[in-house]
Amino acid sequence: MPLSRDDAFNVARVLSEALPYIQQFVGKTIVVKYGGNAMTEEALKNSFARDMVMLKLIGINPIVVHGGGPQIGDLLEKLKIESHFVNGMRVTNSEAMDVVEMVLGGLVNKDIVNLINQNGGHAMGLTGKDGHLIEARKLKVTQQTPEMQKPEIIDIGHVGEVAHINTSVLSMLTESDIIPVIAPIGVDDKGESYNINADLVAGKVAEAVKAEKLLLLTNIEGLKDKEGHILTGLTTTQVDDLIADGTIYGGMLPKIKCALDAVKAGVNTAHIIDGRVRHCTMLEIFTDEGVGTLITNQDD
């Protein structure tokens, strides 16, 4: 069915609005953390894949880092492997780590790769084990209650943090027509595997490749002030103030701190965007309004 005159005009207007952004970002790298509703709802999955293909086609280099917590939880439950959390992190013994690798490095990763390829792109799936991409170390978690003399160190198993990102692997792929799709599994110098928070991996990848942007897809509209209004543009100083006064708290803190660290380390901007909106990455990058909160290190 052909477009109406008004629809055709709107398409032309959007393309015209996008032009200066395309010119600005051609040749640059953008790291996208993919998760939440955007990774489970079919319409959102396809719009995300098409966005990644379009970015690559116009000369921008997307790198995708994905999560998979719900899928891991579902399989652990089916296999009757007990799972619990400490400070929001899944305690991961050797048996659970096998499931994590199977789900993240296999099922979820290959589904995303296939989705991008089916939409006309060329994606390649990776874990931190491939080419020593993500060098990890065991995450040390401490907990202290008022009655304790000193903090207690809690062993949460194969949960890690990023020690180093090997950018040579990513450079080889992004300089070709390949879109890297990374599962957040790291490996230490002894060959032990570690489950790492996907937001953290995305932030560290963005820092290492000196990305233009870090986009974190979430299930919220963006950061909000205490009155519930969306904050569309913030400096790192303003975000620090919002954390200090309690506006940003709870489960949002780790994601925001990851974005802050990336921007403070040289990533030009970080974006907390609503992954429940179709084509959210394109809307955030190429339109004036966007669909979330932008964080920059540039004070006015």
Side-chain angles (χ1 to χ4, degrees):
M1 181 176 175
L3 291 174
S4 68
R5 184 180 292 272
D6 286 345
D7 287 340
F9 173 79
N10 286 330
V11 170
R13 180 186 59 78
V14 170
L15 290 172
S16 178
E17 183 180 319
L19 179 59
Y21 294 105
I22 293 172
Q23 292 171 325
Q24 182 180 354
F25 301 135
V26 163
K28 302 293 179 61
T29 297
I30 293 176
V31 177
V32 184
K33 189 277 179 152
Y34 177 49
N37 285 53
M39 202 167 70
T40 57
E41 295 183 14
E42 287 304 317
L44 295 175
K45 286 167 65 175
N46 279 294
S47 77
F48 174 81
R50 290 176 70 86
D51 284 0
M52 296 303 102
V53 175
M54 178 63 77
L55 288 174
K56 192 67 177 179
L57 187 64
I58 62 180
I60 297 170
N61 298 315
I63 297 174
V64 178
V65 179
H66 65 83
Q71 294 92 330
I72 293 168
D74 288 345
L75 187 53
L76 287 171
E77 187 176 345
K78 286 178 183 177
L79 296 173
K80 294 182 170 51
I81 298 173
E82 287 189 13
S83 179
H84 63 281
F85 292 81
V86 172
N87 296 341
M89 290 170 287
R90 187 188 302 277
V91 177
T92 309
N93 59 23
S94 296
E95 189 178 28
M97 189 64 216
D98 289 341
V99 173
V100 168
E101 291 202 67
M102 181 172 23
V103 173
L104 292 183
L107 298 174
V108 174
N109 188 271
K110 300 315 173 190
D111 181 52
I112 298 167
V113 167
N114 184 56
L115 201 60
I116 292 172
N117 291 344
Q118 288 297 311
N119 278 278
H122 298 88
M124 179 177 290
L126 304 161
T127 74
K129 290 185 170 182
D130 296 305
H132 298 285
L133 174 60
I134 305 172
E135 296 177 16
R137 56 178 168 257
K138 187 180 180 69
L139 181 64
K140 294 181 179 178
V141 177
T142 59
Q143 181 172 280
Q144 187 168 16
T145 57
E147 62 272 12
M148 290 181 178
Q149 295 287 334
K150 59 181 181 178
E152 173 189 15
I153 298 174
I154 303 171
D155 186 353
I156 56 174
H158 290 260
V159 178
E161 58 185 349
V162 175
H164 178 70
I165 300 291
N166 183 356
T167 58
S168 62
V169 179
L170 297 174
S171 297
M172 179 179 65
L173 297 176
T174 56
E175 287 169 7
S176 66
D177 65 345
I178 303 295
I179 299 171
V181 178
I182 303 170
I185 298 167
V187 62
D188 67 12
D189 53 6
K190 297 177 181 176
E192 292 285 345
S193 298
Y194 291 93
N195 183 16
I196 308 177
N197 177 276
D199 291 323
L200 177 61
V201 171
K204 292 302 180 185
V205 167
E207 291 177 27
V209 302
K210 297 178 172 58
E212 174 71 18
K213 293 178 178 292
L214 167 66
L215 274 66
L216 302 175
L217 274 62
T218 68
N219 287 340
I220 62 169
E221 296 172 279
L223 288 180
K224 295 181 179 181
D225 62 21
K226 290 182 177 178
E227 287 72 45
H229 302 122
I230 298 172
L231 301 166
T232 55
L234 296 169
T235 66
T236 54
T237 302
Q238 289 172 317
V239 176
D240 283 333
D241 290 342
L242 291 169
I243 293 171
D245 71 13
T247 302
I248 301 172
Y249 64 95
M252 202 62 187
L253 271 174
K255 192 178 295 288
I256 295 303
K257 287 182 176 177
C258 157
L260 272 178
D261 288 345
V263 173
K264 289 177 178 179
V267 176
N268 195 35
T269 55
H271 306 247
I272 311 297
I273 64 174
D274 192 346
R276 301 168 300 178
V277 176
R278 290 191 190 186
H279 302 292
C280 59
T281 54
M282 300 288 279
L283 289 169
E284 180 66 16
I285 297 169
F286 296 130
T287 67
D288 295 334
E289 292 84 7
V291 286
T293 300
L294 176 149
I295 301 171
T296 177
N297 215 13
Q298 305 285 326
D299 287 308
D300 293 333

